[in-house]
Amino acid sequence: MLREIRPAILVLVLLTAITGLVYPLAITGIAGVIFPRQAQGSLIEKDGKVIGSALIGQEFKEDKYFHGRPSATLAPDPNDSTKTVPAPYNAANSGGSNLGPTSKALADRLKDDVEKLKSENPNAPVPVDLVTTSASGLDPDISSEAALFQVPRVAKARGISEDAVRELVTQNTQGRFAGVLGEPRVNVLALNLALDGAGAK
């Protein structure tokens, strides 16, 4: 019986070492050489300090900044570990909400968000990605329509022309992947950094 078990144990140990140790280390090393920035998390620095990642959204609340998609991520309640509290863009707890189309809480939130956005820009339809959460809750991008929708609010808060802000949106809009896949999108953190870099207050 030991004769039959020994090869199985040897194969298990060998495959565990290859797939659990050798392969991940080799891929990590290759990625670090070929794509060093991406392998380190696509981190974005300002004045030598890491301020975020191009891959993970951040919450911007001030009117002078573009806002990203709503995030449904949660974190443990610091006052009661049996409960959770909203923690937008919490990378340690990626996920969307479990609220469905019949949820009153979801319908109420959507209604409130749409009304708030319409008050900011009553002349344009509200883009869907400004009121719906992504599946991960970490989406760093918004559609170009969602960015353009926010131009009047950002321009007013910064005291600059809408045309200048619109031009920054255009400059920071990324096209479809390979010209075919996906939709044009804007990285919110990159756009806000461009705004600050343009000298807009």
Side-chain angles (χ1 to χ4, degrees):
M1 181 170 177
L2 189 59
R3 186 181 296 172
E4 288 85 17
I5 293 175
R6 185 177 295 141
I9 292 173
L10 266 168
V11 168
L12 174 67
V13 170
L14 184 63
L15 288 176
T16 300
I18 291 171
T19 61
L21 189 63
V22 176
Y23 178 76
L25 287 175
I27 294 300
T28 301
I30 291 168
V33 171
I34 299 174
F35 305 108
R37 182 177 168 275
Q38 291 88 338
Q40 294 299 316
S42 298
L43 301 177
I44 296 175
E45 294 184 8
K46 182 178 180 182
D47 301 326
K49 181 180 176 184
V50 174
I51 58 168
S53 167
L55 305 175
I56 298 176
Q58 293 185 26
E59 186 174 34
F60 292 93
K61 291 185 175 181
E62 295 176 78
D63 285 345
K64 69 178 184 172
Y65 288 115
F66 285 87
H67 301 163
R69 292 185 74 167
S71 175
T73 56
L74 304 169
D77 186 336
N79 301 319
D80 184 352
S81 60
T82 64
K83 297 179 182 176
T84 57
V85 293
Y89 304 102
N90 177 12
N93 192 18
S94 172
S97 78
N98 61 356
L99 302 178
T102 59
S103 168
K104 184 178 183 323
L106 177 61
D108 290 345
R109 183 189 66 77
L110 289 174
K111 182 182 175 189
D112 291 345
D113 286 356
V114 167
E115 287 177 3
K116 180 176 182 257
L117 289 166
K118 279 187 176 178
S119 70
E120 292 176 4
N121 187 353
N123 300 320
V126 176
V128 70
D129 55 325
L130 286 181
V131 293
T132 57
T133 61
S134 66
S136 68
L138 306 177
D139 197 342
D141 302 324
I142 55 175
S143 66
S144 53
E145 292 83 5
L148 291 170
F149 178 88
Q150 299 179 66
V151 165
R153 170 180 47 81
V154 173
K156 181 180 177 184
R158 289 182 177 259
I160 58 178
S161 74
E162 290 186 18
D163 286 341
V165 177
R166 201 172 288 110
E167 178 60 27
L168 279 174
V169 171
T170 301
Q171 291 171 5
N172 285 276
T173 298
Q174 302 169 28
R176 300 171 189 264
F177 179 73
V180 178
L181 300 175
E183 294 295 327
R185 65 203 182 283
V186 180
N187 184 283
V188 178
L189 176 56
L191 178 57
N192 285 333
L193 285 172
L195 265 173
D196 286 344
K201 295 182 178 181

